[in-house]
Amino acid sequence: MASSNNAPLLGRCSGTAARHPQDAFHLPAQRTSVSEARRRAGTLLHEWGADQQVRDDVELVVSELFTNALRHTDSEKVGCELTVVGAHIRIEVTDQGGGPGACTPHVQPGSVDKECGRGLFLVGALSESWGTRPDDSGPGRVVWADLPYAPAAH
């Protein structure tokens, strides 16, 4: 994943907008990073001209996936990648694995009524699809979600 410092360069080819805007960043595995990830995602989507509802939904999904990576793994850093492809935006949150709760993420039965455990239920409700896969670069896991994407009405 590229650093957010390279964000102005990503999604651009020879001075023209690329067909698939994309950005990626890593943050320390700390509680304060959840709000930073949410803010970065919202700012990026605003720059890309996304509809307000899209920005709100992506910010919520990023927050939930980031929180799960912090809570259920022994990661020192967590990565986030956002890619727009046509009418969809793909969110990928990558952890470094390990920890007592490092299992395949899944919606807990009855999680809607519990204070803890609603995150993946919300991710599923806002996403057209979501899932997990092993991280190709190490023992971690990538949790991804595809959401509808629409530009803001002018």
Side-chain angles (χ1 to χ4, degrees):
M1 282 189 204
S3 163
S4 64
N5 295 336
N6 296 330
L9 302 176
L10 293 172
R12 303 247 177 230
C13 295
S14 304
T16 60
R19 291 176 43 188
H20 306 294
Q22 179 178 14
D23 191 35
F25 56 88
H26 286 97
L27 294 171
Q30 303 170 349
R31 279 187 277 142
T32 56
S33 293
V34 174
S35 60
E36 176 65 14
R38 183 181 185 112
R39 185 193 62 75
R40 286 187 187 203
T43 299
L44 182 65
L45 289 173
H46 179 75
E47 291 172 4
W48 288 348
D51 179 74
Q52 182 64 51
Q53 186 64 54
V54 171
R55 293 193 318 249
D56 291 346
D57 291 350
V58 168
E59 287 177 10
L60 179 57
V61 170
V62 166
S63 292
E64 295 298 339
L65 297 181
F66 226 87
T67 298
N68 282 351
L70 297 177
R71 185 174 285 160
H72 301 293
T73 71
D74 285 338
S75 299
E76 292 182 14
K77 65 181 179 177
V78 177
C80 182
E81 184 172 340
L82 303 167
T83 307
V84 175
V85 180
H88 298 88
I89 183 162
R90 162 80 42 117
I91 302 164
E92 294 187 354
V93 173
T94 306
D95 63 54
Q96 295 175 305
C103 60
T104 301
H106 61 282
V107 176
Q108 297 291 326
S111 60
V112 176
D113 300 324
K114 296 178 183 175
E115 182 176 332
C116 194
R118 285 186 277 208
L120 290 178
F121 177 81
L122 292 171
V123 169
L126 295 172
S127 304
E128 292 180 341
S129 60
W130 72 275
T132 67
R133 70 174 188 278
D135 181 15
D136 294 337
S137 63
R141 179 167 303 283
V142 177
V143 182
W144 58 268
D146 290 334
L147 281 69
Y149 180 84
H154 287 55

